[in-house]
Amino acid sequence: MNIQIFGTNKCFDTKKAQRYFKERGIKFQFVDLTQKNLSKGEYQSIKSAVGSMEALIDEKSKAYEKHFIKYLASKEAVEEKLLEYGELYKTPIVRNGKKATVGYCPEIWKEWD
């Protein structure tokens, strides 16, 4: 198992996800989205695993309003903003190879064992 957790240190669900894997002795790599954003390849892989770009966007975040995401005309423009600003993502994003989840999803992670 090759677990990556993308999130922020301030996110309660990200901390719960880290605790979930620590308690089970599963090593993971944590990527703080305030420090380092998803690469284009990581983004494409996660987007295909979760089904859509919309599933990744946190519409309740301050960054969503700040960057005027709902006013952008094309999906390409929204994707550019996502690749530029990590605070636009719902967190945590947990990835295991080609599989990925958005949010706290222990029922799905259990099946990865």
Side-chain angles (χ1 to χ4, degrees), residues 54-66:
E54 290 77 15
L56 294 169
I57 299 172
D58 184 0
E59 295 178 357
K60 296 176 184 155
S61 72
K62 290 178 186 173
Y64 185 81
E65 296 293 326
K66 179 180 170 188

Side-chain angles (χ1 to χ4, degrees), residues 19-72:
R19 188 170 43 245
Y20 174 89
F21 290 104
K22 277 181 191 169
E23 287 172 353
R24 284 153 185 79
I26 300 169
K27 291 184 180 183
F28 61 87
Q29 175 191 10
F30 173 67
V31 179
D32 187 345
L33 290 172
T34 61
Q35 305 293 318
K36 182 179 183 289
N37 209 348
L38 296 175
S39 72
K40 194 167 192 160
E42 288 170 330
Y43 167 75
Q44 293 296 343
S45 173
I46 291 168
K47 181 176 92 170
S48 67
V50 300
S52 71
M53 168 186 68
E54 290 77 15
L56 294 169
I57 299 172
D58 184 0
E59 295 178 357
K60 296 176 184 155
S61 72
K62 290 178 186 173
Y64 185 81
E65 296 293 326
K66 179 180 170 188
H67 298 293
F68 305 104
I69 300 304
K70 67 180 169 185
Y71 302 110
L72 296 175

Side-chain angles (χ1 to χ4, degrees), residues 99-110:
K99 301 173 189 169
T101 60
V102 178
Y104 183 70
C105 306
E107 62 284 349
I108 295 172
W109 303 334
K110 245 181 247 177

